[in-house]
Amino acid sequence: MNVLKKLVSVLDEVRKPSRYIGNEYNSIHKKNSDVNLCLVFPDLYDIGMSHFGMAILYDVVNSSNFASCERSYLPWVDMQGAMLKNDIPLYSLESYKPLNEFDVVGFTLQYEMSYPNVLRALRLSNIPLHNSDRSESDPIVIAGGPCTVNFSPMEKFIDAFLIGDGEEAVLEMLETMRNGKREEKLKNLSKIEGVYVPKHSKRVSKRVVKEMPSAPRAQIVPYTNIIHDRGIVEILRGCTHGCRFCQAGMIYRPVRERSANEVYEISRDVARLTGHEEISLLSLSSADHTQIGDMTSQLKSLKEVSISIPSTRVDALSVEVANAVSGVRKSGITLAPEAGSQRLRDVINKGISENQIYEALEHAKNSGWSRVKLYFMLGLPTETDEDVMAIGEMLQKAKHMGFKNVSATLGIFIPKPHTPFQFAPQIGIEEAYRRYKLIGWAHKYAKINFTDPQKSVIEGVLSRGGNEVSQVIEMAEKRDLIFADWNEMFNPQEWFKIFDECEIKLKDVISEKDGNYEFPWEHVDVGISKGYFWMEYQRALKGILTPDCREKCTGCGVCPNFKVKNVLKGKRAPEIIPAGGEMI
Amino acid sequence: MKQAGKYLFRYKKYGLLRHLSHLETMKMIERLLRRTGLKFEQTQGFHQRMKLSFAQALPTGIIDLAGLFIASTFEVIDDPFVIKANSLSPNGLEIVRAEKVESSFKLSKALEGYEFKIVFLETPPLDLDGEVEEVNDIWVVRTFRPFNSSVPKNGEFGQFLTVRSKAILSEVQVD
């Protein structure tokens, strides 16, 4: 079946129809494959097309000689209504084929608030929501992405989870699904490293690729103005600073760098093959790349594109890197001190001193940046009112340094699975507002954006919950609590009503846990033991810093457990402490 | 200083690409030209972009067989370039031809207006001006709209399809 004919009459009635037309330049229309996969980003096209993970897997699968890959995104509510009215199921943007006609449907779980969107996508595709209700004629529904490190809340809905890097595993998974009955396929899937099949698996260890894999160059060029409308080159994966709140820093270990030469070649090709005006260098912390100086100077010779780097750390080197790629147009620089006081920055292991922050700001100011945006978190473990006040003081100082515009984003800290802070409590809604009000006086120095603490509590439950949360997700989808990250669609009261009805005790979920507490994610092994996380949590409470493992191995266990090591292009990685060896 | 050659491009946009907005169309064309690797004149200022000037914007949903824009370059634009551009273009966008025009050429002066074809599956409303043609129960109303006047919107008259079929230019001064 092909929904194109029906689609034509519908597209005139919806907002931004270019999201739904597919057939973008560089999209691949592969016919006659043994097994076909439709990757679904469970959010609007504008967001999903900005996500690079899906672009990588699209390229990997379509480059294989046996499998094909297409894409789909969750349509906005007006389009969903029009599709239901005209009996159009959710379809792929390549062949306009309904999702339930694919062999495999794969979701990427990037953020917890998108869970109800996954169910809505299944519903629009006429695929049974529960894995137990699926039959031979239904696709196998798989999921990957960072949220799978605690897949329990989604276990009821997904047939197989892939934890960790997908480049190699996705082909192995598709290979097992070329032939055979559903049950046989699921059994075989459960034998693949990194894959968890709820029906057959007991434990799972994440999948790791040893080196940076090949990168997509002929990237799809969207028609719609998407969130990040530019070419992307991943320059390094993983981060070893060891910030204790950061899930990405823990679950994507070890660091794997791409050489400066390769980054140059890929950037050149991406520019030529897409026509993009801008290329963004993607990583968790670009200034850490051991060849970053070489890289930025090589990239300067690409005259036809501008290069951008999402800055995250706040040190002079990051500012230097931002300077190197920005050219003459220096509008805004984004830096992330995360906490206002030095005491609290030591608790979170940020590894940056007060002096370094002001040096970085001074350097940014002198280099011509007129606007600065600072990221902080509220409610970090051990945070006191003085720590909160220190955020205001930093904003005041930044303004007095002469920046034309200072803005700050205050997120609420959510203790994430597989981090040293998984044991820590999350502050409640009222407490979050109380602390926010403490720096009310700083509004005259900076524009302060405050994340809705209600959303943070919901996100906290979805990210830390177990199987019991699946009922909440199911009810949320039924009550139209989809696109929860979009302010106009967010309805916290309804969410809290559902938590009540499902007897989820919010206070219990977000309370502090001790070292013996059994988390729902214990059967997922990301390479770092619970003991290491507990030790790191204890060091945090004492304000003891742990070094970056590019300087000295801290014994987290990832490298010996997965027989990998940090791949640094510009220097030698330090000796690894063997498994079971003494941690730092 | 030598002045770059000015070219008038004619393009068609059809199929699903009729759903692109004017801004999306402009961006799509700029990226297509960038993929050809030919150096076009850029705008001045901090945020440099390709200097393209498009004729009248078209509402979303209309098939465009009469798209026009102007770009300048020091290089020669010939038929092989047009063939190359079309090989790098998404389905539904086609560069028809490019012709060199005098440096004083301005679309706003040369463009008199557009002919639209409004297609109906039933008898068209009487208040719609234009020549009516009927073949096999399909009615096509041909109507002229002067440059920068309002254009027929999709569905405005209960029509099935709207096509911008022809650009009426005063004689193009080919350089």
Side-chain angles (χ1 to χ4, degrees):
Chain A
M1 185 183 155
N2 175 317
V3 302
L4 194 54
K5 264 190 189 157
K6 284 185 179 174
L7 203 58
V8 171
S9 59
V10 161
L11 290 173
D12 282 322
E13 296 162 21
V14 297
R15 272 165 44 190
K16 268 199 174 188
S18 59
R19 287 166 177 158
Y20 311 118
I21 62 176
N23 189 30
E24 305 95 319
Y25 188 73
N26 282 336
S27 59
I28 297 169
H29 304 255
K30 197 171 170 182
K31 290 192 177 101
N32 305 325
S33 61
D34 291 354
V35 54
N36 53 44
L37 159 72
C38 187
L39 285 177
V40 190
F41 194 98
D43 210 317
L44 204 56
Y45 177 91
D46 315 28
I47 312 284
M49 266 299 283
S50 306
H51 172 59
F52 193 54
M54 227 162 104
I56 296 177
L57 295 183
Y58 186 79
D59 183 57
V60 166
V61 176
N62 282 322
S63 304
S64 77
N65 59 7
F66 70 96
S68 62
C69 181
E70 305 192 12
R71 298 159 301 137
S72 189
Y73 304 87
L74 189 64
W76 190 246
V77 278
D78 60 342
M79 179 66 172
Q80 289 186 25
M83 285 165 72
L84 285 174
K85 205 173 109 194
N86 292 279
D87 200 21
I88 302 172
L90 189 60
Y91 57 92
S92 72
L93 292 181
E94 278 75 10
S95 62
Y96 308 102
K97 191 164 83 170
L99 264 59
N100 63 357
E101 291 183 19
F102 279 82
D103 299 316
V104 188
V105 169
F107 287 94
T108 175
L109 305 178
Q110 292 294 315
Y111 33 89
E112 295 83 0
M113 297 303 275
S114 72
Y115 290 168
N117 299 0
V118 173
L119 301 199
R120 177 57 57 91
L122 287 172
R123 190 184 294 286
L124 290 171
S125 311
N126 300 319
I127 298 173
L129 301 191
H130 293 176
N131 49 20
S132 55
D133 294 338
R134 288 183 201 131
S135 63
E136 212 55 58
S137 61
D138 291 310
I140 304 250
V141 180
I142 63 174
C147 294
T148 59
V149 296
N150 175 24
F151 51 68
S152 298
M154 292 297 282
E155 206 170 335
K156 209 170 165 182
F157 313 115
I158 303 293
D159 295 312
F161 293 95
L162 165 62
I163 292 99
D165 298 322
E167 286 90 344
E168 294 165 354
V170 73
L171 291 180
E172 292 168 25
M173 292 174 84
L174 291 172
E175 179 73 50
T176 62
M177 291 184 277
R178 276 169 103 157
N179 303 304
K181 294 267 178 211
R182 184 179 183 85
E183 188 51 36
E184 197 183 330
K185 289 177 187 169
L186 290 175
K187 250 189 201 149
N188 288 334
L189 278 173
S190 71
K191 293 175 192 154
I192 297 172
E193 203 184 316
V195 176
Y196 185 94
V197 177
K199 207 171 170 190
H200 298 289
S201 312
K202 294 270 175 286
R203 274 186 68 77
V204 62
S205 293
K206 77 162 181 181
R207 192 65 186 259
V208 192
V209 292
K210 290 192 160 125
E211 298 260 351
M212 275 294 263
S214 71
R217 299 179 192 219
Q219 297 172 8
I220 297 176
V221 186
Y223 301 119
T224 313
N225 206 4
I226 61 169
I227 303 284
H228 298 303
D229 196 359
R230 50 201 177 212
I232 299 175
V233 182
E234 189 185 18
I235 65 166
L236 71 93
R237 195 174 292 183
C239 171
T240 48
H241 280 287
C243 298
R244 290 167 177 139
F245 58 85
C246 179
Q247 192 185 46
M250 298 293 156
I251 66 172
Y252 291 122
R253 291 179 178 208
V255 161
R256 286 143 292 168
E257 293 183 348
R258 199 186 290 288
S259 75
N261 289 343
E262 203 188 339
V263 168
Y264 171 79
E265 280 167 22
I266 298 169
S267 306
R268 183 198 56 202
D269 290 353
V270 171
R272 181 173 58 84
L273 294 168
T274 62
H276 274 301
E277 311 76 24
E278 184 185 340
I279 285 176
S280 180
L281 304 183
L282 184 73
S283 74
L284 288 170
S285 182
S286 298
D288 289 339
H289 196 293
T290 50
Q291 294 179 323
I292 190 71
D294 265 8
M295 195 186 295
T296 52
S297 52
Q298 278 196 54
L299 290 171
K300 270 189 184 156
S301 66
L302 290 178
K303 296 272 181 257
E304 65 279 18
V305 280
S306 62
I307 304 290
S308 68
I309 291 187
S311 296
T312 46
R313 285 185 71 78
V314 50
D315 53 24
L317 182 59
S318 299
V319 174
E320 203 44 59
V321 172
N323 286 344
V325 298
S326 68
V328 278
R329 184 171 166 262
K330 291 193 176 67
S331 50
I333 187 167
T334 302
L335 303 166
E338 320 281 6
S341 71
Q342 192 53 43
R343 188 197 69 79
L344 198 52
R345 277 193 298 275
D346 289 347
V347 168
I348 65 175
N349 203 41
K350 192 69 197 164
I352 282 168
S353 70
E354 194 92 5
N355 274 346
Q356 281 174 302
I357 291 178
Y358 289 113
E359 268 170 35
L361 286 170
E362 195 65 52
H363 189 32
K365 174 79 206 16
N366 296 337
S367 316
W369 299 93
S370 60
R371 287 188 297 152
V372 63
K373 189 173 180 185
L374 299 167
Y375 272 112
F376 297 96
M377 267 182 285
L378 214 56
L380 285 161
T382 77
E383 185 180 73
T384 62
D385 289 358
E386 287 73 39
D387 296 319
V388 179
M389 294 295 273
I391 294 175
E393 284 152 21
M394 191 178 280
L395 298 177
Q396 183 182 16
K397 271 194 195 169
K399 184 72 189 172
H400 286 160
M401 284 169 92
F403 285 102
K404 197 171 149 199
N405 236 313
V406 180
S407 69
T409 297
L410 256 61
I412 307 290
F413 161 70
I414 300 169
K416 292 277 176 162
H418 300 284
T419 65
F421 284 173
Q422 64 183 358
F423 306 97
Q426 180 178 342
I427 55 170
I429 297 161
E430 279 170 27
E431 178 60 14
Y433 279 115
R434 188 192 70 79
R435 293 191 197 184
Y436 171 59
K437 282 181 190 148
L438 290 176
I439 50 164
W441 56 272
H443 280 281
K444 62 179 168 216
Y445 304 110
K447 183 176 179 288
I448 304 176
N449 304 305
F450 183 49
T451 333
D452 188 339
Q454 301 179 101
K455 193 179 279 177
S456 308
V457 168
I458 299 165
E459 191 187 324
V461 176
L462 295 183
S463 84
R464 300 173 58 81
N467 292 328
E468 72 287 353
V469 176
S470 39
Q471 199 190 344
V472 172
I473 298 165
E474 217 172 324
M475 285 165 79
E477 187 273 331
K478 270 191 196 134
R479 296 187 199 177
D480 264 342
L481 299 180
I482 53 166
F483 292 118
D485 270 321
W486 298 78
N487 285 343
E488 69 261 48
M489 295 289 288
F490 181 52
N491 181 352
Q493 283 71 35
E494 200 58 39
W495 274 100
F496 292 122
K497 226 166 104 187
I498 296 175
F499 285 135
D500 262 357
E501 286 166 31
C502 296
E503 294 177 2
I504 305 273
K505 306 253 179 309
L506 298 183
K507 271 195 181 152
D508 292 351
V509 183
I510 65 173
S511 64
E512 187 172 17
K513 308 290 185 295
D514 65 30
N516 298 319
Y517 183 83
E518 187 132 340
F519 293 110
W521 51 87
E522 306 238 339
H523 47 324
V524 179
D525 167 27
V526 297
I528 307 177
S529 69
K530 193 175 175 183
Y532 182 86
F533 287 139
W534 179 252
M535 179 203 74
E536 270 291 281
Y537 185 47
Q538 298 310 306
R539 285 167 72 93
L541 298 178
K542 292 179 197 139
I544 305 170
L545 291 171
T546 296
D548 182 331
C549 76
R550 267 165 296 199
E551 306 304 326
K552 188 169 188 271
C553 176
T554 62
C556 77
V558 167
C559 292
N561 284 339
F562 295 117
K563 298 190 175 49
V564 291
K565 58 179 185 202
N566 286 334
V567 180
L568 308 177
K569 296 294 178 184
K571 67 177 244 191
R572 258 176 79 111
E575 285 302 309
I576 296 166
I577 298 174
E582 201 177 323
M583 295 179 278
I584 200 154
Chain B
M1 205 177 96
K2 197 185 158 209
Q3 208 172 11
K6 201 173 196 179
Y7 287 85
L8 172 65
F9 284 79
R10 295 170 192 260
Y11 68 91
K12 291 179 184 173
K13 187 185 72 162
Y14 45 82
L16 287 170
L17 293 195
R18 74 181 170 92
H19 294 293
L20 264 56
S21 70
H22 185 60
L23 281 174
E24 289 167 346
T25 306
M26 288 178 11
K27 193 177 69 179
M28 169 177 68
I29 288 175
E30 179 174 349
R31 287 184 176 164
L32 162 63
L33 295 179
R34 291 172 60 86
R35 287 196 288 271
T36 65
L38 201 85
K39 300 255 180 301
F40 286 92
E41 204 178 26
Q42 304 282 311
T43 58
Q44 299 300 310
F46 282 151
H47 195 49
Q48 288 207 343
R49 297 196 70 103
M50 202 177 279
K51 198 172 166 186
L52 300 176
S53 81
F54 280 79
Q56 190 170 349
L58 200 61
T60 309
I62 297 181
I63 296 171
D64 193 3
L65 304 179
L68 297 170
F69 68 88
I70 286 175
S72 298
T73 174
F74 285 108
E75 298 180 55
V76 176
I77 293 195
D78 47 14
D79 288 347
F81 172 82
V82 173
I83 292 167
K84 183 181 182 184
N86 283 329
S87 73
L88 298 169
S89 150
N91 285 343
L93 170 69
E94 191 188 319
I95 304 285
V96 182
R97 62 177 192 270
E99 50 205 323
K100 198 165 184 198
V101 291
E102 284 184 349
S103 60
S104 59
F105 179 83
K106 278 204 164 62
L107 269 173
S108 55
K109 284 194 183 145
L111 185 57
E112 289 171 9
Y114 292 100
E115 181 194 84
F116 284 85
K117 282 184 181 170
I118 306 177
V119 182
F120 292 87
L121 301 182
E122 51 195 39
T123 323
L126 292 171
D127 58 341
L128 179 60
D129 284 344
E131 245 174 77
V132 186
E133 211 179 306
E134 191 244 311
V135 184
N136 294 339
D137 282 349
I138 295 174
W139 286 261
V140 178
V141 179
R142 256 200 267 210
T143 175
F144 175 78
R145 298 293 162 108
F147 179 53
N148 271 353
S149 65
S150 74
V151 299
K153 296 191 181 49
N154 232 13
E156 189 182 353
F157 307 100
Q159 74 266 40
F160 174 65
L161 264 182
T162 317
V163 183
R164 183 160 79 173
S165 47
K166 208 190 237 174
I168 317 290
L169 286 156
S170 55
E171 203 177 324
V172 175
Q173 300 297 310
V174 179
D175 194 16

